[in-house]
Amino acid sequence: GDSVTQMEGPVTLSEEAFLTINCTYTATGYPSLFWYVQYPGEGLQLLLKATKADDKGSNKGFEATYRKETTSFHLEKGSVQVSDSAVYFCALSGGATNKLIFGTGTLLAVQP
Amino acid sequence: DGGITQSPKYLFRKEGQNVTLSCEQNLNHDAMYWYRQDPGQGLRLIYYSQIVNDFQKGDIAEGYSVSREKKESFPLTVTSAQKNPTAFYLCASSIDGRRESYEQYFGPGTRLTVT
């Protein structure tokens, strides 16, 4: 079945460092891809999405490109801030039910 | 202000008791979803509803029940048959549950502890 694999954390970076969180997927058909962020004790917030191959989603300095040839949707940010510390989830949605399938999440800790 | 509300934020119950978690949305969304989150794991789908008066089992429906009598409301009951009910429960909604391109919006979650 469909699945999402993302790099295990925690990822610890210093402020202003470059961030990459890897995400790869397995799916039949052409899913939509999402990155969600979860701050401690809260629900998930949509960070960005891409709905077809070669689409680039972007928001708040974060970017991810839908790469069909490598089945990947890696999250990047050029300069992280302490306020970016959170858990990041990669997810896909496919088929006629819009069910989301999540990766296990990656904890990002940014130190000042 | 549109959004999804879940109440209460924290819930404590004794083993063997059923408990109902509330989820309300004023986004006029057709589809609603319940997920369970355990430490160090991603979210797993419990139930979903694409339209009023209809719902489907997700990947881990055993020990749970839902109803969808109103578009705005999708309560989840955790029954005594659920073996490990302690978890963080998240409700979500989307405009149309039949299109994969529509994102889901999440509520703030309810942390359930059963002792």
Side-chain angles (χ1 to χ4, degrees):
Chain A
D2 295 355
S3 65
V4 173
T5 302
Q6 59 182 107
M7 63 189 287
E8 290 195 18
V11 173
T12 304
L13 296 173
S14 298
E15 209 165 18
E16 300 183 2
F18 185 86
L19 168 71
T20 299
I21 300 178
N22 290 337
C23 171
T24 57
Y25 67 90
T26 302
T28 54
Y30 303 97
S32 292
L33 300 174
F34 305 85
W35 276 102
Y36 283 87
V37 60
Q38 184 178 37
Y39 298 99
E42 298 184 7
L44 275 66
Q45 300 175 24
L46 178 68
L47 184 58
L48 53 84
K49 73 175 188 179
T51 59
K52 60 183 188 296
D54 300 324
D55 264 4
K56 177 187 281 189
S58 61
N59 185 28
K60 300 180 181 179
F62 291 90
E63 293 183 339
T65 301
Y66 189 162
R67 301 280 188 208
K68 187 169 178 294
E69 63 276 12
T70 55
T71 62
S72 65
F73 192 54
H74 304 322
L75 182 68
E76 295 182 337
K77 187 176 185 184
S79 176
V80 294
Q81 305 300 312
V82 172
S83 57
D84 293 326
S85 298
V87 179
Y88 292 81
F89 290 94
C90 184
L92 70 81
S93 175
T97 61
N98 198 21
K99 293 192 294 182
L100 281 175
I101 295 170
F102 287 88
T104 53
T106 301
L107 173 63
L108 170 65
V110 180
Q111 298 175 338
Chain B
D1 225 2
I4 301 174
T5 56
Q6 292 186 243
S7 60
K9 190 169 178 65
Y10 298 96
L11 192 53
F12 298 89
R13 279 294 182 270
K14 295 289 187 187
E15 201 172 312
Q17 293 179 337
N18 292 354
V19 59
T20 298
L21 282 59
S22 167
C23 177
E24 304 278 332
Q25 54 100 358
N26 62 1
L27 300 167
N28 200 32
H29 285 177
D30 281 335
M32 297 186 75
Y33 309 80
W34 274 106
Y35 294 90
R36 169 183 172 134
Q37 184 178 21
D38 295 284
Q41 298 189 31
L43 280 68
R44 292 181 290 167
L45 182 65
I46 304 173
Y47 267 98
Y48 64 101
S49 167
Q50 294 178 296
I51 200 165
V52 175
N53 292 322
D54 186 50
F55 50 83
Q56 307 294 329
K57 291 182 179 180
D59 300 318
I60 55 165
E62 186 176 347
Y64 300 97
S65 66
V66 294
S67 63
R68 186 86 188 277
E69 298 174 1
K70 298 188 298 182
K71 188 174 186 178
E72 309 79 37
S73 179
F74 191 41
L76 172 75
T77 297
V78 184
T79 75
S80 56
Q82 167 49 233
K83 295 283 185 277
N84 296 297
T86 295
F88 190 46
Y89 291 88
L90 288 156
C91 178
S93 70
S94 68
I95 294 174
D96 184 342
R98 295 162 297 177
R99 295 283 301 275
E100 76 281 355
S101 59
Y102 290 121
E103 60 266 33
Q104 293 183 19
Y105 295 82
F106 284 79
T110 292
R111 188 166 298 281
L112 172 64
T113 302
V114 177
T115 56

